[in-house]
Amino acid sequence: MITLFRLLARVPLSLMQRLGTLLGWIVWWGSSGYRSRFKANAEAAGFTPEQYRPAIAAAGAALAELPFLWGPPAGVGVLPHVASWRGMEAVQAPLDEKKGAIFITPHIGSWELLGQAVAERYADRYGPMTALYRPARKAWMSELVAGSRENRHGLKMLPTNTSGVRGLMRALKSGGYTGILPDQVPPLGQGVWAPFFGRPAYTMTLLPRLAQQTGVRVFIAVGERLAPGEGYAIRFEELEGTALSDPKAPIEAAAAAMNAGIEKLIRQLPGQYVWDYARYKEPRAEMEVAQ
């Protein structure tokens, strides 16, 4: 599989995205369970079929991009595929002042490319982007993803355990930056129930605690996928006036503020969100709590 990924990484990205679009629709029509879950989540959030249907193709495109993102030839970066950047002045301000920044990057658009692009752009100026990494369950995939991220310029990966969280905390306090996927259901004990599109969702507390304890500025970030061959539009928007910036605010309020920011982004791009994810499921127990 690793060899296959590396061979596919040499196929033009625009062609892989077109093939992914077809794959997205094949899965849609071939799996009634996937289709039902997708529609139920999107419609419960208040979106019409016209608004969420583009996400069917986007899901396939996201999968088809993985060979390029995980197994590229040596020295190949993602920056040439970024068509535009927005909000970078606001991001650079706290980094220039060594105050640090957290990028909230939900499962929308190309979150994998977003992290790599930011790291490539800013590593030489601000140091590497520090991020937590949980190995995939399948050994070959874990090896592939770990190797890709370790070889990408500007990325510093830490394990998702107590030592990794402490390392991330040190990086932020010293003025560094990180990107965190906030919309996964965390293990039991690592989250709180907070509203998400009007329904209670078990929400991670790691990111709110990092923000409250370090005082760094928090931004919503997205790598919007444009039409095949047109690249990506990356933009950042600061979350201002929220409980995330108040160390005395209840963690439930901070989690709710984070979810509200994610909702706002999804309302802008409902056709690129991963709607099939079981966001409202019960959390599972885990032996080690990384907080």
Side-chain angles (χ1 to χ4, degrees):
M1 288 299 293
I2 293 178
T3 300
L4 176 61
F5 258 69
R6 288 175 178 163
L7 288 174
L8 290 175
R10 298 178 180 273
V11 177
L13 182 59
S14 60
L15 175 57
M16 291 297 294
Q17 289 176 326
R18 289 184 172 90
L19 293 173
T21 294
L22 176 61
L23 175 63
W25 280 102
I26 290 174
V27 174
W28 170 263
W29 289 116
S31 173
S32 60
Y34 170 82
R35 188 166 61 249
S36 297
R37 184 170 60 250
F38 192 113
K39 291 173 63 176
N41 286 340
E43 291 174 3
F47 296 100
T48 65
E50 290 74 19
Q51 291 174 307
Y52 68 70
R53 276 185 177 272
I56 299 169
L63 182 63
E65 291 167 353
L66 293 182
F68 169 73
L69 295 171
W70 290 356
V76 175
V78 301
L79 283 182
H81 296 277
V82 179
S84 63
W85 299 79
R86 287 176 54 192
M88 304 315 296
E89 296 82 2
V91 168
Q92 290 169 196
L95 296 180
D96 285 335
E97 297 170 4
K98 297 295 183 181
K99 293 182 178 180
I102 295 176
F103 306 138
I104 297 179
T105 309
H107 288 84
I108 188 170
S110 183
W111 57 91
E112 186 82 24
L113 178 135
L114 171 65
Q116 294 181 14
V118 172
E120 283 183 30
R121 175 167 176 163
Y122 286 126
D124 292 339
R125 182 172 178 179
Y126 301 117
M129 182 169 76
T130 305
L132 299 179
Y133 167 63
R134 184 187 299 275
R137 294 182 180 180
K138 294 184 179 181
W140 69 267
M141 185 177 291
S142 179
E143 179 183 350
L144 180 67
V145 177
S148 170
R149 289 172 175 168
E150 289 171 359
N151 293 331
R152 285 293 193 184
H153 176 63
L155 283 175
K156 179 181 179 181
M157 309 306 297
L158 298 177
T160 52
N161 55 27
T162 302
S163 65
V165 173
R166 288 173 179 167
L168 181 55
M169 184 79 74
R170 287 193 296 271
L172 291 174
K173 287 184 175 180
S174 64
Y177 57 111
T178 186
I180 297 179
L181 291 164
D183 53 344
Q184 297 185 33
V185 177
L188 187 65
Q190 299 185 39
V192 294
W193 292 97
F196 186 64
F197 285 112
R199 300 164 62 188
Y202 198 66
T203 302
M204 70 154 59
T205 54
L206 172 61
L207 191 153
R209 292 189 192 281
L210 286 172
Q212 289 182 333
Q213 293 176 23
T214 63
V216 303
R217 288 166 66 177
V218 181
F219 298 83
I220 285 282
V222 62
E224 179 182 355
R225 183 181 298 103
L226 305 178
E230 295 184 7
Y232 305 81
I234 291 179
R235 68 177 187 269
F236 294 81
E237 182 177 345
E238 186 170 8
L239 283 178
E240 297 180 339
T242 74
L244 286 171
S245 59
D246 182 0
K248 297 181 180 179
I251 196 64
E252 291 82 3
M258 180 179 72
N259 281 354
I262 297 170
E263 282 186 30
K264 180 180 177 181
L265 176 60
I266 294 172
R267 292 186 192 281
Q268 296 169 359
L269 291 172
Q272 295 202 19
Y273 187 61
V274 181
W275 286 111
D276 68 297
Y277 181 59
R279 183 65 185 87
Y280 303 99
K281 67 183 179 181
E282 292 289 327
R284 59 179 173 79
E286 185 169 272
M287 293 299 294
E288 182 179 5
V289 177
Q291 291 201 53

